Amino acid sequence: MASYMQAAVVERFGKPLVFQDVVVPTVGPGQILVKTEACGVCHTDLHAAQGDWLLKPTLPFIPGHEGIGRVVAVGAGVTIVKEGDRVGVPWLYSACGHCEHCLSAWETVCGEAQFGGYTKNGGFAEYILADPDYVAHIPDGLAPREAAPLICAGVTTYKGIKVSHVRPGEWIAISGAGGLGHLAIQYAKAMGLQVCAIDIDEGKLAHARRLGADLAVNAQSEGAVEAVRRGTKGGAHGVLITAPSLRAFKQGIGMARKRGTCVLVGLPPGDFPVPLFDVVANCITIRGSFVGTREDMAEALAFAADGKVKADIEVQPLSAINSVLDRLERGDVPSRVVLDFEAAG
Ligand code: NAD
Ligand code: ZN
Ligand code: ZN
């Protein structure tokens, strides 16, 4: 007889998630089943539930791509993980393993990639079916709720900073000091960079300073771009834009130093105008960055296991998901909410 689990399901875009008893998936060959201990709530889950992007998930689906838990069942042929291991089921749910991108360790852009909590059911549920080749391996000593934000917000910002090629002592401007940004600040400091945090919320800017930001600028203040350019003595060597706001993208380009790199990470729907002359004449690089590879994941988790980075979390039960998503939309979540499945028993 089938057993059931609690899940928060997107039945229609733009509507509250619906709590349902869903059949617990059974593992097929090459699959594993993970019993969820904790799952972070990313702004991407909000985009997913609202159907913000051109490529939409098929309804109904279970969001959540920061799910951490223990492996409770392994399918035939699985050797890389075993029952009892603690793993994370990330956005990069799986990839083909054979294309030019996979072969060059850029599995994040594999054309056949599947996305956790988007094209595959995710962690807003008591159990998650996962691909053992793509799960995150959670180091001992990291609690599930501490690990959860790292497997999306953490790896994404760590990778974004890496591809900015900013070197120790140089400046990185981090636009958006929320779920992604509060971790970006910590990774950047741990990597020896000077950090300028930018947000529209004074509380988040104050928190950014506590986390080590050397400079904090309110994006809504007049002359915000100038303030960053002045404070960084000519513009930041790298700009990491995590804010889910098109306005932040245009501003962010203006914050870059000559020959600097703007790394675009936030995913608000739509396009933004690029000031072509400035970008060309100042030799600015604009590049996108999408989560991180499995190698990036291991590195990002190691920073936390070594105590260099710590996610700031607010714990909530799964039953609170709709109010959490509402607060995320209003910019009313201080850093990261993590849904705790253990508290619920
Ligand atoms: P969040 O809501 O936790 O944080 C966003 C922060 O941006 C908030 O602190 C908010 O106050 C701030 N902000 C809003 N408007 C701003 C502006 N104009 N200027 C500066 N700051 C502003 O969201 P999050 O979970 O950190 O996600 C951020 C974005 O990153 C989302 O669009 C999400 O989909 C995207 N994302 C992308 C990737 C990727 O791989 N590229 C991975 C994860 C998330
Ligand atoms: Zn995410
Ligand atoms: Zn591939």
Side-chain angles (χ1 to χ4, degrees):
M1 238 200 24
S3 49
Y4 290 84
M5 63 177 184
Q6 261 274 296
V9 180
V10 178
E11 287 190 333
R12 282 190 296 158
F13 294 121
K15 297 286 176 209
L17 275 58
V18 178
F19 297 98
Q20 283 182 8
D21 286 327
V22 176
V23 174
V24 176
T26 43
V27 290
Q31 294 180 319
I32 57 172
L33 187 68
V34 177
K35 185 171 194 308
T36 316
E37 295 172 297
C39 185
V41 183
C42 181
H43 206 108
T44 290
D45 296 314
L46 183 63
H47 294 308
Q50 294 184 329
D52 271 349
W53 301 327
L54 229 47
L55 169 71
K56 292 187 203 312
T58 307
L59 296 169
F61 70 97
I62 304 170
H65 54 272
E66 290 184 345
I68 308 290
R70 297 272 189 197
V71 176
V72 290
V74 297
V78 174
T79 53
I80 184 82
V81 293
K82 55 185 188 315
E83 255 182 64
D85 285 357
R86 180 169 281 143
V87 298
V89 187
W91 177 258
L92 183 70
Y93 182 95
S94 64
C96 82
H98 308 290
C99 70
E100 59 172 308
H101 309 297
C102 284
L103 290 177
S104 46
W106 274 97
E107 65 265 29
T108 46
V109 293
C110 172
E112 288 175 39
Q114 298 291 324
F115 305 124
Y118 204 79
T119 65
K120 296 282 183 182
N121 280 332
F124 294 178
E126 290 173 291
Y127 291 88
I128 322 167
L129 200 58
D131 183 327
D133 288 333
Y134 290 84
V135 291
H137 302 268
I138 308 304
D140 289 341
L142 264 191
R145 33 168 99 167
E146 286 180 347
L150 302 173
I151 72 163
C152 178
V155 71
T156 298
T157 53
Y158 171 66
K159 175 68 163 192
I161 295 166
K162 266 174 91 171
V163 300
S164 77
H165 298 298
V166 177
R167 287 178 299 198
E170 295 182 340
W171 280 97
I172 187 146
I174 295 168
S175 172
L180 264 62
H182 92 283
L183 285 167
I185 293 165
Q186 297 180 54
Y187 278 110
K189 288 314 295 178
M191 291 156 92
L193 314 186
Q194 303 231 67
V195 172
C196 172
I198 300 125
D199 205 288
I200 53 173
D201 182 285
E202 282 298 327
K204 289 187 175 140
L205 291 171
H207 191 49
R209 282 190 207 94
R210 286 196 292 276
L211 293 172
D214 303 277
L215 192 65
V217 172
N218 192 320
Q220 280 176 325
S221 65
E222 221 180 298
V225 174
E226 258 323 297
V228 174
R229 298 195 68 84
R230 234 185 1 261
T232 58
K233 298 188 171 57
H237 301 81
V239 182
L240 182 75
I241 308 175
T242 77
S245 149
L246 290 175
R247 212 174 144 247
F249 284 74
K250 182 151 184 264
Q251 261 191 343
I253 306 284
M255 292 170 183
R257 202 182 196 85
K258 291 187 178 194
R259 291 161 52 218
T261 299
C262 287
V263 183
L264 315 186
V265 163
L267 281 165
D271 300 312
F272 73 101
V274 173
L276 204 48
F277 191 87
D278 292 347
V279 168
V280 172
N282 295 322
C283 295
I284 290 180
T285 301
I286 299 177
R287 62 178 302 170
S289 188
F290 198 43
V291 288
T293 65
R294 290 167 289 180
E295 184 67 14
D296 298 319
M297 180 72 84
E299 292 171 15
L301 286 167
F303 273 74
D306 290 347
K308 295 179 183 130
V309 164
K310 191 172 169 46
D312 227 321
I313 56 169
E314 173 192 322
V315 176
Q316 292 286 352
L318 177 66
S319 58
I321 185 61
N322 286 315
S323 68
V324 171
L325 291 174
D326 286 347
R327 284 171 55 206
L328 210 50
E329 187 165 23
R330 294 198 302 270
D332 205 14
V333 169
S335 295
R336 200 52 140 198
V337 168
V338 174
L339 305 173
D340 188 343
F341 288 76
E342 293 171 300

